[in-house]
Each structure stands twice: as C-alpha cells, then as structure tokens.
Amino acid sequence: RIELGDERALTVLDRMLKQRKDSLEQYQDAQREDLAEKERFEINVIREFLPEPMTRDEIDALIAQAFDHFGEGNIQAMGKIMNFLKPRTLGRADIALVSQLVKSKLME
C-alpha cells in the first residue's frame, strides 16, 4: 500500500482534473455529448476532494507577493516566480492561468 502526502495527493488530483478538462473540450468539439457528460461528472467528483478554488483577487495578491519577494523582473525571473507560486496554488488554481498572469505582468 502506498501512502500519499497531502501535496502529492493534490498534485495527482490536479493532474486528473486537467486531463478531464482537456477530454471534455475534445468531446465537446467532436459533439460527443455522451462522453462530455461523463467527463463533467468526473470533474465534479474530483473537485469534491480539492480545496476551495482561489479567487482571481487571491491569485493576483499571491502574484504580487511573489514579485515583492523576487523583485520586479524580466522574463528570466519567470522560473523563480513560478516555483514560488506552484506549491501555494496547488489544487486551488489553474497553473496555466497563473503562468499567463505572471507572463503578462512581466511584460508590463
């Protein structure tokens, strides 16, 4: 029997959620409502085991905290900033969205 710590469990659930969302989009594009409905159901089940999602304001505040910690930088700071943000958003925010928001802030 393998025991998962909270962080590892959140990582697995987050990955499962992303896979289901990708599948849902593909099924919707293919007009396969029967399969899309199955993915929606599984998404809802997985979400029951994840913490409350972060609001956009919470994400923005965390990004601001990362920029305060590492300083306003250029795109080379992206890796350090994302390494700071990933464990703090795990299971609570779409990391692709977080990455996109960081990139746009770095480009300002």
Side-chain angles (χ1 to χ4, degrees):
R1 181 174 141 179
I2 297 174
E3 302 245 349
L4 295 178
D6 287 346
E7 186 174 329
R8 182 69 180 133
L10 286 175
T11 300
V12 170
L13 289 169
D14 202 45
R15 185 174 300 128
M16 290 172 63
L17 185 62
K18 183 182 182 322
Q19 290 169 341
R20 297 314 182 284
K21 286 179 177 180
D22 290 344
S23 295
L24 175 60
E25 185 177 320
Q26 291 173 12
Y27 292 145
Q28 287 174 328
D29 290 346
Q31 298 179 358
R32 291 294 312 267
E33 189 56 35
D34 56 325
L35 297 174
E37 187 57 36
K38 178 182 174 272
E39 295 302 321
R40 280 188 208 94
F41 175 79
E42 290 182 11
I43 287 168
N44 289 332
V45 170
I46 293 167
R47 282 187 175 148
E48 288 183 28
F49 293 94
L50 291 170
E52 190 71 28
M54 294 178 83
T55 66
R56 176 63 188 266
D57 288 341
E58 290 173 320
I59 294 170
D60 289 340
L62 194 56
I63 291 171
Q65 182 183 357
F67 274 77
D68 288 345
H69 183 65
F70 293 104
E72 298 278 334
N74 53 27
I75 200 70
Q76 284 78 24
M78 181 83 177
K80 289 179 185 177
I81 291 169
M82 290 307 297
N83 284 338
F84 175 85
L85 294 172
K86 279 183 185 180
R88 291 163 175 81
T89 60
L90 185 61
R92 297 194 61 216
D94 179 0
I95 198 64
L97 171 64
V98 174
S99 177
Q100 180 182 22
L101 294 171
V102 169
K103 281 181 190 174
S104 67
K105 185 160 176 64
L106 286 170
M107 299 299 195
E108 288 179 352

